[in-house]
Amino acid sequence: MPFLKTEFDIAWGIIPVSVFVFLATVNCVNLTDGLDGLATGVCAPFFLFFGVILSESEIGLSITSIAITGALVGYLVFNSSPASVFMGDTGSLSLGGFAACVGVFSGGFLYIALVGIAFVISGVSVIAQVVYFKATGGKRIFKMSPFHHHLQQSGYSESKISYGYFALTLAMATLCLIF
């Protein structure tokens, strides 16, 4: 477990846990891809984090994570606002799938929710919006979901939102590396 330096044997439930991690991660990364440079800017520090922490134990996953980070940084040149190349579902779903693979195969799947806090914000905001909308007969929590679209509707530019999400992911990755 991150920060606690303890381990739990979940051999009894690794399949349902892995299925949940894959479904949640793939969908949340896909929901995060909605603004120019947002999913790319969040995934780059996310994969860099995994590349660093796995460099001694899982060299194959580490090298692949660093390679994906490099590809994302190169892609970000064309995907930042105003974007001339778009990722679409094919790119975001594959990034989410690889994020889940790295987390599950390395045994560090709890880091997905910590370092990938932007993915969690996107997923939880959509779930909260839908549940609240249905429970109240049409009222909304956010102007629009996922949360980054609420920020956009509130007057923030795509660039500011993308930079903010990038900074949040980088801060969480740094905290997880320190502790």
Side-chain angles (χ1 to χ4, degrees):
M1 288 199 67
F3 304 116
L4 299 178
K5 306 291 184 206
T6 60
E7 294 184 11
F8 292 103
D9 182 15
I10 60 166
W12 53 268
I14 193 63
I15 292 176
V17 168
S18 296
V19 167
F20 174 77
V21 169
F22 270 87
L23 289 174
T25 306
V26 167
N27 284 301
C28 287
V29 173
N30 187 34
L31 289 170
T32 304
D33 182 35
L35 301 176
D36 293 345
L38 184 61
T40 309
V42 169
C43 285
F46 177 87
F47 285 116
L48 180 61
F49 166 79
F50 272 103
V52 170
I53 66 163
L54 298 176
S55 62
E56 293 180 11
S57 59
E58 299 284 340
I59 194 70
L61 287 175
S62 175
I63 290 170
T64 308
S65 294
I66 302 251
I68 287 177
T69 302
L72 287 170
V73 169
Y75 174 72
L76 193 55
V77 172
F78 301 101
N79 186 243
S80 59
S81 185
S84 58
V85 179
F86 300 95
M87 185 180 307
D89 285 346
T90 304
S92 62
L93 291 171
S94 62
L95 284 175
F98 189 72
C101 284
V102 170
V104 169
F105 294 162
S106 68
F109 55 85
L110 293 176
Y111 282 119
I112 296 171
L114 293 172
V115 178
I117 188 73
F119 306 141
V120 175
I121 291 169
S122 294
V124 170
S125 67
V126 169
I127 292 168
Q129 181 88 321
V130 170
V131 168
Y132 189 78
F133 185 84
K134 289 186 179 197
T136 61
K139 294 182 182 178
R140 300 175 189 274
I141 299 172
F142 307 110
K143 294 178 182 179
M144 193 173 177
S145 68
F147 185 67
H148 55 268
H149 287 305
H150 170 77
L151 294 173
Q152 189 179 24
Q153 294 292 319
S154 298
Y156 292 96
S157 69
E158 289 188 28
S159 297
K160 280 188 179 181
I161 297 166
S162 295
Y163 291 139
Y165 272 54
F166 169 78
L168 177 63
T169 305
L170 193 59
M172 290 302 292
T174 304
L175 285 173
C176 286
L177 282 174
I178 291 170
F179 296 108

